[in-house]
């Protein structure tokens, strides 16, 4: 279990670094450092259809990960009630 926790922490740290980089790049491009700013940036580079596709795919994966985390939290809560 500790190996999984360590790996998850490493991945979360990398995601946070990427989010910081994305925010800095959005601000440098004159956009807000949030989802609306990303949409604004994508609207300006609409010729880059692949960028929009990748962003939408990433959002879908983030939604899926959020749902899985909620399910895991629920299952952990049930397990703790029975211990």
């Amino acid at each position: 279990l500790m190996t999984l926790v360590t790996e998850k922490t490493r991945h979360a740290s990398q995601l946070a670094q990427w989010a910081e980089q994305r925010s800095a790049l959005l601000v440098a491009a004159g956009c807000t450092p949030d989802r609306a700013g990303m949409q604004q940036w994508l609207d300006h580079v609409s010729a880059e259809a692949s960028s929009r596709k990748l962003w939408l795919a990433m959002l879908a994966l983030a939604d899926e990960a959020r749902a899985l985390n909620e399910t895991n939290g629920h299952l952990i809560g049930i397990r703790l009630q029975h211990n």
Side-chain angles (χ1 to χ4, degrees):
L1 185 61
M2 285 307 297
T3 303
L4 291 175
V5 170
T6 301
E7 186 175 344
K8 181 179 176 182
T9 301
R10 185 173 49 83
H11 288 303
S13 177
Q14 181 64 61
L15 287 172
Q17 288 176 352
W18 288 334
E20 287 178 21
Q21 290 173 353
R22 184 186 65 239
S23 293
L25 290 169
L26 287 172
V27 169
C31 302
T32 57
D34 54 15
R35 190 178 282 209
M38 188 66 187
Q39 185 61 50
Q40 181 185 11
W41 181 81
L42 285 169
D43 290 344
H44 286 354
V45 294
S46 61
E48 288 287 331
S50 62
S51 296
R52 184 176 302 281
K53 276 185 180 178
L54 289 171
W55 176 248
L56 293 175
M58 198 232 19
L59 289 178
L61 288 171
D63 286 341
E64 184 179 345
R66 190 175 301 107
L68 289 170
N69 281 334
E70 287 176 11
T71 300
N72 285 340
H74 181 71
L75 292 173
I76 289 169
I78 290 171
R79 176 74 175 178
L80 290 174
Q81 287 177 356
H82 295 295
N83 282 341

